[in-house]
Amino acid sequence: MADKKTVKEKGSSLQYVHIAVSIILMFGFVYLPPFSTVTPVGMRLLGIFLGVIYGYSTCDIIWPSLVAIIAFGLSGYPANMAAGVTSMMGSSLVFQVITQYFTAGAIVIYGVGRWFVRKTLSQKVFMGRPLLYTWCFMFVFMWSCIVLETIPMFLLLYGIWNDIADSCDYEKDSTFRYYGFGGILVSLLLGVSMMPYKSWQLGLATSWANVTGVKINLGQMLCCTSIIGTIVITAYVFLGAKLFQVDFSAMKAFDVNKLGEESKILRPRAKRIMAVYFVTVLLSLYAGTFSGTALTNFIEKTLTVSGLFCLCTAILLIIPGGEKDGKPAIIFNDIKHSDAAVSWPVIFMCAVTIPLASALTTEATGILPWLSDVFTPVFAGRSPIFIMILTIVLMVFLTNVGSNIALGNAMIPVISPFILASGVNPMFFGCALVYAANIGIFLPGSSAPASIFHGRSEIPNVKLRNKATMLGIGLHTLVSCVVWTLAFLITN
């Protein structure tokens, strides 16, 4: 008994050390002398970013986020505290995540997950083949993310994977959940950048074309990215199962009849939620595909995607649920206390880390010129193959510590002169850069999907989360280096 008490006291003392380190980084890092082109503002923001990531990794989510908001407001980068709070908690991304959480969470709460589990696991082709089921699950949804909005897909699929785990009686915090959540994260991000025809990926591809004079061929890029995605997902499913030592016996022997009669059909409420939800997704898809139309201009410039999903949620809170209970499709009291519907750790992570990562790459910090000074000599005089491989490795690393579009745009003028000077076709180098810039998953601030992943209460163990992300990053980097290099050699 005394030994247990001593261990608990030591753990409590160590926790206070972690708290102190996190706060010292946020407020004390600025007192270190600036280096190279990095400004005092850059030192402040760098300290806040390091402090909040340390706090997330060793302590909690909520209080490091609140302290980071205070530090950000006092940093001198936003004009004042009010501006700092607004840029974080008042960002359109946070608003979008909240409204999408309501709808995607409601879909799971009202039985879609259990219906999906029964419908898919009862198929003969998957009976007794859990690895095949997992591979198909991730492969199909990777392709869906070429056209569908990623954040609502992440929220929906995490909820469904939890339903699979719960239905098969996997324990909370089991390796099955980390393995599946990590696979969903990797597969959806592989899918969203297979063709850079929308969002920031299009912006990065356009910047490449403007600098090099060569546009990215979407068809040729899709051929390569589909190969990369298929190999990476296949390797993740089989190697990840061994790495996490996942016990598939429960899933292999699972009897779908355990889910009950109610899982055989979709409730009217769930059907209405899914109908409105997917109409909203299709509208966002239309806006991202057909530029210049009146509807696209209204959605993108006036309503915005955040407003579109807000409208979706509002409609579902108004229209009847169809179950003759006099209640709307989404009953707010059903979802407000559920982690499946709204996860405040995820919301705070998105609110804090994304603006911080973006701020670090602004002109005021002086960090991008420092990166340019560091990497320009590395590319000088190198062969095209060396430049290709180094481009992929650097972009994967940089996008996991900062803003993908900012750092991608910063690296284009560093890399492109050496590629153009070699006389080779620069197209595949641009493809490799854009695709590598998308796999920001190691730190919560690497991307919005990374913030959602690291903030999920179902996977609290940092080491296991990092194991999943490092496996995905390693596989993506290795396979990308091989495929893009071969594509370059074949075409040149």
Side-chain angles (χ1 to χ4, degrees), residues 320-343:
E323 297 184 358
K324 299 180 180 179
D325 55 5
K327 295 180 180 179
I330 291 181
I331 304 168
F332 186 72
N333 285 339
D334 288 351
I335 64 174
K336 68 180 182 181
H337 298 303
S338 172
D339 273 348
V342 180
S343 173

Side-chain angles (χ1 to χ4, degrees), residues 341-410:
V342 180
S343 173
W344 286 106
V346 168
I347 292 167
F348 270 99
M349 266 195 178
C350 288
V352 170
T353 56
I354 304 302
L356 266 178
S358 298
L360 282 169
T361 53
T362 59
E363 187 177 343
T365 65
I367 291 176
L368 290 184
W370 169 67
L371 287 174
S372 180
D373 290 344
V374 169
F375 291 125
T376 297
V378 178
F379 288 96
R382 302 292 186 174
S383 68
I385 293 177
F386 180 90
I387 295 174
M388 172 70 81
I389 294 172
L390 189 59
T391 296
I392 295 168
V393 172
L394 280 178
M395 281 312 308
V396 170
F397 171 76
L398 291 174
T399 198
N400 276 284
V401 297
S403 166
N404 40 27
I405 188 167
L407 289 169
N409 276 307

Side-chain angles (χ1 to χ4, degrees), residues 261-333:
E261 292 295 314
E262 68 278 4
S263 66
K264 287 185 177 181
I265 58 172
L266 279 175
R267 294 171 56 180
R269 177 167 274 111
K271 289 181 180 178
R272 296 190 180 196
I273 294 171
M274 288 184 67
V276 176
Y277 183 73
F278 283 110
V279 168
T280 306
V281 171
L282 288 174
L283 285 172
S284 65
L285 169 62
Y286 176 89
T289 306
F290 301 101
S291 59
T293 68
L295 181 58
T296 295
N297 290 337
F298 174 73
I299 292 174
E300 291 191 337
K301 298 178 181 179
T302 304
L303 183 62
T304 73
V305 173
S306 299
L308 182 63
F309 278 93
C310 179
L311 179 61
C312 167
T313 304
I315 290 171
L316 290 169
L317 286 164
I318 295 172
I319 64 172
E323 297 184 358
K324 299 180 180 179
D325 55 5
K327 295 180 180 179
I330 291 181
I331 304 168
F332 186 72
N333 285 339

Side-chain angles (χ1 to χ4, degrees), residues 127-381:
M127 288 182 179
R129 299 184 179 97
L131 281 174
L132 175 63
Y133 178 85
T134 303
W135 183 87
C136 288
F137 184 92
M138 295 177 183
F139 181 76
V140 169
F141 288 115
M142 175 190 77
W143 281 93
S144 73
C145 268
I146 293 179
V147 294
L148 298 180
E149 285 289 324
T150 51
I151 292 177
M153 284 298 295
F154 277 112
L155 300 177
L156 181 59
L157 294 184
Y158 286 155
I160 289 175
W161 193 263
N162 263 331
D163 269 341
I164 294 173
D166 292 340
S167 300
C168 297
D169 297 323
Y170 284 102
E171 295 180 359
K172 300 294 182 184
D173 199 28
S174 67
T175 56
F176 178 83
R177 297 181 196 265
Y178 290 90
Y179 163 74
F181 275 45
I184 291 168
L185 176 66
V186 172
S187 59
L188 296 196
L189 283 180
L190 286 171
V192 74
S193 276
M194 291 175 83
M195 289 191 303
Y197 73 97
K198 60 179 181 176
S199 191
W200 66 264
Q201 294 93 344
L202 174 60
L204 205 55
T206 303
S207 296
W208 179 266
N210 290 338
V211 172
T212 64
V214 178
K215 291 183 178 180
I216 287 178
N217 184 306
L218 297 185
Q220 290 182 348
M221 182 169 179
L222 179 62
C223 288
C224 293
T225 53
S226 60
I227 294 170
I228 295 170
T230 302
I231 295 173
V232 170
I233 288 175
T234 304
Y236 181 95
V237 167
F238 289 94
L239 293 178
K242 295 182 181 296
L243 182 65
F244 283 94
Q245 298 180 331
V246 179
D247 180 10
F248 283 106
S249 58
M251 190 177 178
K252 193 173 184 178
F254 179 66
D255 181 6
V256 294
N257 291 317
K258 290 171 59 178
L259 294 172
E261 292 295 314
E262 68 278 4
S263 66
K264 287 185 177 181
I265 58 172
L266 279 175
R267 294 171 56 180
R269 177 167 274 111
K271 289 181 180 178
R272 296 190 180 196
I273 294 171
M274 288 184 67
V276 176
Y277 183 73
F278 283 110
V279 168
T280 306
V281 171
L282 288 174
L283 285 172
S284 65
L285 169 62
Y286 176 89
T289 306
F290 301 101
S291 59
T293 68
L295 181 58
T296 295
N297 290 337
F298 174 73
I299 292 174
E300 291 191 337
K301 298 178 181 179
T302 304
L303 183 62
T304 73
V305 173
S306 299
L308 182 63
F309 278 93
C310 179
L311 179 61
C312 167
T313 304
I315 290 171
L316 290 169
L317 286 164
I318 295 172
I319 64 172
E323 297 184 358
K324 299 180 180 179
D325 55 5
K327 295 180 180 179
I330 291 181
I331 304 168
F332 186 72
N333 285 339
D334 288 351
I335 64 174
K336 68 180 182 181
H337 298 303
S338 172
D339 273 348
V342 180
S343 173
W344 286 106
V346 168
I347 292 167
F348 270 99
M349 266 195 178
C350 288
V352 170
T353 56
I354 304 302
L356 266 178
S358 298
L360 282 169
T361 53
T362 59
E363 187 177 343
T365 65
I367 291 176
L368 290 184
W370 169 67
L371 287 174
S372 180
D373 290 344
V374 169
F375 291 125
T376 297
V378 178
F379 288 96

